[in-house]
Structures are given as structure tokens and as C-alpha cells.
Amino acid sequence: MNSLRGWRAVNHAADFHKLVLGQPGPAVVAFESGDCPPCRLQRRMLDTAWTQLDFVPTRVIVDMQRFPEIADQYRIVGYPTAALFADGVLVGRFPGLRGAAAIAYLRDQFENAGGTAARFREQMLNTFEGQKQLLA
């Protein structure tokens, strides 16, 4: 099974501009390192959420060791970190928390959210079954 299922890796700095900054709509960028198991877990958690919400944003991976300048530009200081872009503009950073801390952090971030984010909160963060899927 391809661990990058649906995710597109940045292979050149110009890829980031094309895949994220030049695209209309939402994009999720996974800032990670190739030798980081929690980074792969982060992608799996995000994929689970998108599946539950029937929502598929543009999904991009930036290897922070290969492209530190991109991470620096958006003040990403550690990995894994997911960043949400809307129409090429950074709208949120989600540091790689794990377990109960990740659920608490996401609940706080999505507390007043509407639309798709509200559905994510209701289905995935506010139910035991959703939390189990995210943390599996």
C-alpha cells in the first residue's frame, strides 16, 4: 500500500507554490521528516477525518529537512505539524500532538467552527468512536 495515498510530496521549492499557494480552496500541508513515524500517523489521522467528512482537500507533504526555508517562512518549528491554507493563505497551524492532548487541542481549535470544521468536531472530536478512529 502506498503510504502517500492522495498526498503529493514537494520535490522542488516551486512545487509548494504550485500545489499550495497557487491553488484555490483548502490545502493541508504536512510538515514532516522522512524518518518520523508520528508524521505518518498524522497523515493517517487526517485521512480518517477527511473520509468521515466526505471532504478531500489538496494534501501536500513538505520534508522539513529538505526544505527548511519553506518551514521557516511559515514559522513551523517542529514536526509533525499540519498547516491549513485557504486560497494560498496560511490560516492555521496544528503542531503534532498525540493522544488525549491532540484531541483537547483540536477541540479548542474547532470550538466555534462552522461548516465542514463543525462536522469534523461533532463527528470525530465529540464522540468516543471518532476519537478512537483518530487515535488508532
Side-chain angles (χ1 to χ4, degrees), residues 56-129:
V56 182
T58 299
R59 296 170 286 172
V60 177
I61 299 168
V62 174
D63 186 326
M64 291 178 61
Q65 293 177 335
R66 289 185 60 204
F67 301 101
E69 67 280 3
I70 296 173
D72 290 346
Q73 181 177 357
Y74 295 99
R75 293 181 280 151
I76 307 296
V77 295
Y79 55 84
T81 295
L84 179 62
F85 288 77
D87 298 321
V89 176
L90 177 67
V91 295
R93 287 180 212 82
F94 305 94
L97 301 172
R98 294 180 192 91
I103 298 296
Y105 178 82
L106 288 171
R107 271 193 183 139
D108 184 55
Q109 293 297 310
F110 287 101
E111 182 177 348
N112 297 314
T116 301
R119 286 190 6 237
F120 171 75
R121 183 188 66 239
E122 292 163 8
Q123 294 175 9
M124 301 302 291
L125 299 175
N126 292 346
T127 68
F128 179 70
E129 286 303 314

Side-chain angles (χ1 to χ4, degrees), residues 7-100:
W7 291 84
R8 298 174 73 183
V10 168
N11 293 310
H12 306 283
D15 291 346
F16 184 79
H17 294 280
K18 177 182 173 188
L19 296 171
V20 178
L21 303 179
Q23 291 293 322
V28 174
V29 179
F31 287 91
E32 56 184 57
S33 169
D35 59 350
C36 169
C39 297
R40 291 184 293 280
L41 175 61
Q42 172 184 256
R43 275 188 266 137
R44 195 172 86 221
M45 287 175 63
L46 291 168
D47 283 339
T48 298
W50 307 146
T51 299
Q52 291 295 317
L53 295 170
D54 195 26
F55 173 71
V56 182
T58 299
R59 296 170 286 172
V60 177
I61 299 168
V62 174
D63 186 326
M64 291 178 61
Q65 293 177 335
R66 289 185 60 204
F67 301 101
E69 67 280 3
I70 296 173
D72 290 346
Q73 181 177 357
Y74 295 99
R75 293 181 280 151
I76 307 296
V77 295
Y79 55 84
T81 295
L84 179 62
F85 288 77
D87 298 321
V89 176
L90 177 67
V91 295
R93 287 180 212 82
F94 305 94
L97 301 172
R98 294 180 192 91

